[in-house]
Amino acid sequence: MIYLLTFLLTIVLFIKDKEKTIAGVRIGIKKLIKNLSVFLNMIILVSISLYFVSDQMIVKFLGQSSGFIGLILAMLLGSISLMPGFIAFPLAGILLAKGVSYTVIGGFTTTLMMVGVLTYPIEKEFFGIRVTIIRNFISLVVALLVSLLVGIFYGEIII
């Protein structure tokens, strides 16, 4: 949907001002080519990481009886790399079917989509070191709050 919207807006901008639109597209293509090697390295690192973390290992350490340690472990695993929702949500469904608690799944998927250690090199290129660290730390805190709220909502955490 967002790609279609971007394409349509580019067409509208092209109709309005061809020269500026072409210049903008050229700048975008140059930045894409410049960052392509960084993206490729990130994909390789994520693939290697996922190879060593099997479903059985995740369920073993994040199962129903893992408690707060399981939540912290899930958040650490989820923080390895940023992943989009179309990968995170099916993975959450697999974990849920294997008996992982909603609290742990909330922490895992939230950090999976908001916190990224392996994506740090890319992020610092765009935002700088300070903003990258602050953004990841705030995202980690928000992920913890979200997972605790999910746990309270589903009755897994009693206040």
Side-chain angles (χ1 to χ4, degrees):
M1 185 67 181
I2 193 162
Y3 300 115
L4 179 64
L5 181 65
T6 303
F7 181 72
L8 292 175
L9 288 174
T10 303
I11 290 173
V12 170
L13 291 174
F14 184 78
I15 292 169
K16 186 173 179 181
D17 191 341
K18 291 178 184 176
E19 291 178 20
K20 283 186 177 179
T21 304
I22 290 172
V25 169
R26 282 186 179 154
I27 290 170
I29 289 172
K30 283 181 183 176
K31 285 192 179 253
L32 177 67
I33 290 171
K34 179 183 172 189
N35 293 319
L36 212 51
S37 64
V38 178
F39 283 119
L40 184 62
N41 287 335
M42 183 192 75
I43 290 170
I44 290 170
L45 287 174
V46 168
S47 299
I48 291 170
S49 299
L50 290 177
Y51 176 78
F52 289 109
V53 181
S54 67
D55 287 351
Q56 290 91 6
M57 180 184 262
I58 291 173
V59 170
K60 179 180 177 184
F61 291 105
L62 306 178
Q64 287 285 354
S65 61
S66 62
F68 190 72
I69 299 295
L71 173 62
I72 298 300
L73 187 59
M75 291 179 66
L76 289 174
L77 287 172
S79 297
I80 291 173
S81 180
L82 285 170
M83 291 196 186
F86 65 84
I87 294 173
F89 295 135
L91 185 57
I94 291 169
L95 294 175
L96 184 63
K98 293 185 177 184
V100 176
S101 70
Y102 286 105
T103 306
V104 171
I105 290 173
F108 180 70
T109 56
T110 307
T111 53
L112 197 60
M113 293 191 299
M114 293 175 60
V115 181
V117 173
L118 293 180
T119 54
Y120 173 82
I122 295 173
E123 195 172 342
K124 82 171 186 179
E125 290 290 321
F126 288 101
F127 302 124
I129 292 173
R130 184 173 180 201
V131 170
T132 301
I133 290 171
I134 291 171
R135 192 205 65 76
N136 277 291
F137 178 74
I138 290 173
S139 296
L140 193 63
V141 171
V142 168
L144 179 62
L145 293 174
V146 166
S147 61
L148 293 175
L149 289 173
V150 167
I152 291 169
F153 182 78
Y154 280 98
E156 295 172 347
I157 297 174
I158 300 170
I159 301 175

